[in-house]
Amino acid sequence: MEGKREVTQAVARRLIDERRSLRKRLLHLQKFDTAPAVRDTPEDHVRSVDMLDMAADSFRKDLQYTTREKLLARAAQLDRGYRKVMNGSYGICEGCGMDIPAKRLEAMPDAAYCPPCQEEREGSRRRA
């Protein structure tokens, strides 16, 4: 029982550490998101933007939005994994109720499904 508790504590720490890292990345992304894309030119004090600048700005904003959304989704996965550690359901597949293989949990400590159930979910999404 002691060994399982140590493993559970290690998983919890790993999930917390990754969540902390994601939070830093989100804050960093937010800092750059507030920076003005177009600056006044000292020569004429009029904002002038050419099409290339507008396209680059649009691409940057799209990339920031997509990155932010992926980081938030990952943070939600980590939170769910942490809650499962805390409530004792960690390592149990949400699809079939069987144990998730240890190697999968090592690779993905927040895994919610065993490989067959995950493949089935991904296949369902592709067909939809």
Side-chain angles (χ1 to χ4, degrees):
M1 194 66 147
E2 186 66 33
K4 185 174 182 173
R5 186 179 332 167
E6 290 172 4
V7 169
T8 301
Q9 289 174 345
V11 168
R13 278 192 303 274
R14 186 172 169 194
L15 292 168
I16 290 169
D17 289 346
E18 189 172 342
R19 180 69 161 88
R20 190 174 293 134
S21 175
L22 279 175
R23 182 173 167 77
K24 286 179 185 177
R25 289 175 63 193
L26 281 165
L27 290 171
H28 181 74
L29 189 64
Q30 182 180 357
K31 182 173 101 175
F32 285 103
D33 191 34
T34 59
V38 180
R39 293 177 175 77
D40 291 336
T41 57
E43 298 84 29
D44 58 7
H45 301 289
V46 176
R47 289 182 186 223
S48 79
V49 179
D50 65 2
M51 294 300 284
L52 186 57
D53 288 339
M54 288 173 46
D57 187 49
S58 178
F59 176 77
R60 180 187 58 81
K61 286 180 181 179
D62 287 347
L63 184 61
Q64 284 178 333
Y65 176 79
T66 301
T67 302
R68 185 176 143 281
E69 291 302 308
K70 286 184 181 272
L71 291 174
L72 289 172
R74 179 72 180 135
Q77 289 175 326
L78 294 169
D79 290 344
R80 184 175 69 195
Y82 183 77
R83 281 192 306 275
K84 290 176 83 170
V85 168
M86 294 295 106
N87 72 23
S89 63
Y90 181 74
I92 300 171
C93 178
E94 292 179 10
C96 66
M98 301 298 290
D99 287 342
I100 299 172
K103 286 188 178 198
R104 180 169 174 78
L105 292 172
E106 284 176 31
M108 297 177 59
D110 59 309
Y113 298 94
C114 65
C117 288
Q118 184 65 40
E119 287 176 20
E120 185 177 314
R121 286 177 50 84
E122 289 173 2
S124 297
R125 280 191 227 143
R126 279 187 229 125
R127 288 188 296 269

